[in-house]
Amino acid sequence: MVSSTTISLVDRRAAVAGIGLMTAGIFMFAVNDAMGKWLVATYSVGQLLLVRSIAALILLVPFIWRDRATFARAPRWGMQTLRAVLATAEVGCFYWAVSYLPLADVMSYYLAGPIFVTAIAGAFLGEAVGWRRWSAVAVGFVGVVVCLRPGSAALSWPALIALAGSLTFSLSMISTRTLRGTSDTVLVTSQTVAALIFGAVLSPASWVTPSMRDLVLLALLGMVAMIAHVCVNRSLKLAPASTVVPYQYTTIVWAVLFGYLVFGDWPDAFMLAGAAIIIGAGLFIFLRERQLARRASFSEPPP
């Protein structure tokens, strides 16, 4: 018989491993974003998406073969296609925006994703959202406005593209909620193929023959992103989401650090203040949803 102390120790070790994997995954996403910003100064968004997707598909081949039977059983291919298009648009917006804006600025807008998801789910999916979470959504939008600084030179079309990317990311998350029965391999493969098609259509118009070094870096974009996804997914299997998800906000730390060390960018006071407001609102929404999950047996959802 296994004692409760032993079980508790195993749980703690799994939680520590989950936190480590989540932190490592977010770090690798930040590395991927910094590499993308550096490469997009020379190569078009279409070319980045094309080479990145080819490299990712090469890594996916063993998983596609293993799970090949799940593709025929995948539900709602119309929604699958919409999700893949949204995911491709989001990545395109990110690379487009980051070619003009500091990395930390773009990531600040993307941190608003959980806030947008809550607002969209409440308004269009009929999910119950009480006044506390609506208040957090409003506060989060204030943070976005602080980042945008309307009326100043900072309110530019690259900033609006970054914000559009955050909204598109939120819509892709909503579509993913409706496809919960679909295997991870199908979801990742469909969005990778969509990005490859998009890149193949756009890249010939602005193709730049890459050097061997840059070709390796372009391929690494897809590989690093795939490994980061594996780390995050494994993290969520080892530890509860309530334990590891808040560590996703470490992305702003890496974005500021890489932005300064690699590109010489440092976010101004408005951007840092707006990011802090967005993170605070996002954490409140996350903690509130965690609290509501514990009350799931109530017939009437609390506000």
Side-chain angles (χ1 to χ4, degrees):
M1 180 175 178
V2 180
S3 68
S4 60
T5 302
T6 303
I7 295 173
S8 178
L9 181 60
V10 170
D11 288 343
R12 286 200 298 270
R13 287 177 176 173
V16 170
I19 290 170
L21 284 170
M22 176 62 74
T23 305
I26 296 304
F27 170 75
M28 295 188 74
F29 275 127
V31 171
N32 183 79
D33 295 341
M35 289 170 56
K37 178 174 173 58
W38 189 75
L39 288 166
V40 83
T42 304
Y43 305 100
S44 68
V45 172
Q47 190 168 348
L48 257 70
L49 289 176
L50 176 63
V51 181
R52 176 182 186 265
S53 300
I54 291 172
L57 276 177
I58 291 173
L59 282 182
L60 279 170
V61 165
F63 302 99
I64 294 172
W65 177 255
R66 183 195 65 187
D67 299 334
R68 59 191 182 278
T70 63
F71 284 82
R73 300 195 302 267
R76 305 177 64 183
W77 273 104
M79 182 58 70
Q80 301 275 3
T81 302
L82 176 61
R83 177 187 173 276
V85 170
L86 289 170
T88 301
E90 176 268 314
V91 174
C93 284
F94 177 85
Y95 284 131
W96 194 5
V98 86
S99 65
Y100 295 96
L101 295 175
L103 186 60
D105 290 23
V106 177
M107 291 312 304
S108 294
Y109 296 119
Y110 270 74
L111 290 176
I115 297 167
F116 293 140
V117 167
T118 300
I120 294 168
F124 296 101
L125 297 184
E127 294 187 6
V129 179
W131 67 268
R132 291 182 180 87
R133 282 183 290 168
W134 276 122
S135 298
V137 167
V139 171
F141 283 131
V142 169
V144 172
V145 171
V146 171
C147 289
L148 284 172
R149 282 157 287 175
S152 73
L155 182 56
S156 59
W157 62 266
L160 296 177
I161 289 171
L163 192 59
S166 179
L167 285 167
T168 308
F169 172 75
S170 303
L171 290 170
S172 71
M173 292 300 99
I174 293 293
S175 64
T176 302
R177 281 190 186 182
T178 68
L179 296 169
R180 286 187 288 269
T182 307
S183 75
D184 291 339
T185 302
V186 172
L187 292 174
V188 174
T189 301
S190 61
Q191 68 187 67
T192 302
V193 170
L196 188 150
I197 294 171
F198 185 73
V201 171
L202 291 184
S203 59
S206 54
W207 182 266
V208 175
T209 302
S211 64
M212 183 56 65
R213 182 198 64 179
D214 285 359
L215 184 61
V216 171
L217 291 175
L218 286 165
L220 279 175
L221 278 180
M223 295 180 182
V224 170
M226 285 297 302
I227 295 171
H229 278 298
V230 170
C231 287
V232 171
N233 290 341
R234 185 61 180 168
S235 167
L236 291 168
K237 290 180 180 179
L238 285 173
S242 59
T243 300
V244 298
V245 166
Y247 288 87
Q248 291 183 359
Y249 285 110
T250 58
T251 186
I252 191 63
V253 177
W254 298 120
V256 171
L257 183 62
F258 288 146
Y260 177 72
L261 294 178
V262 180
F263 307 104
D265 296 327
W266 187 259
D268 59 24
F270 282 97
M271 188 59 64
L272 290 174
I277 294 171
I278 291 169
I279 290 172
L283 284 174
F284 178 86
I285 290 171
F286 173 78
L287 294 173
R288 183 60 180 164
E289 289 180 347
R290 177 185 175 186
Q291 182 183 32
L292 293 179
R294 292 174 176 172
R295 303 181 186 177
S297 60
F298 288 6
S299 60
E300 203 175 305

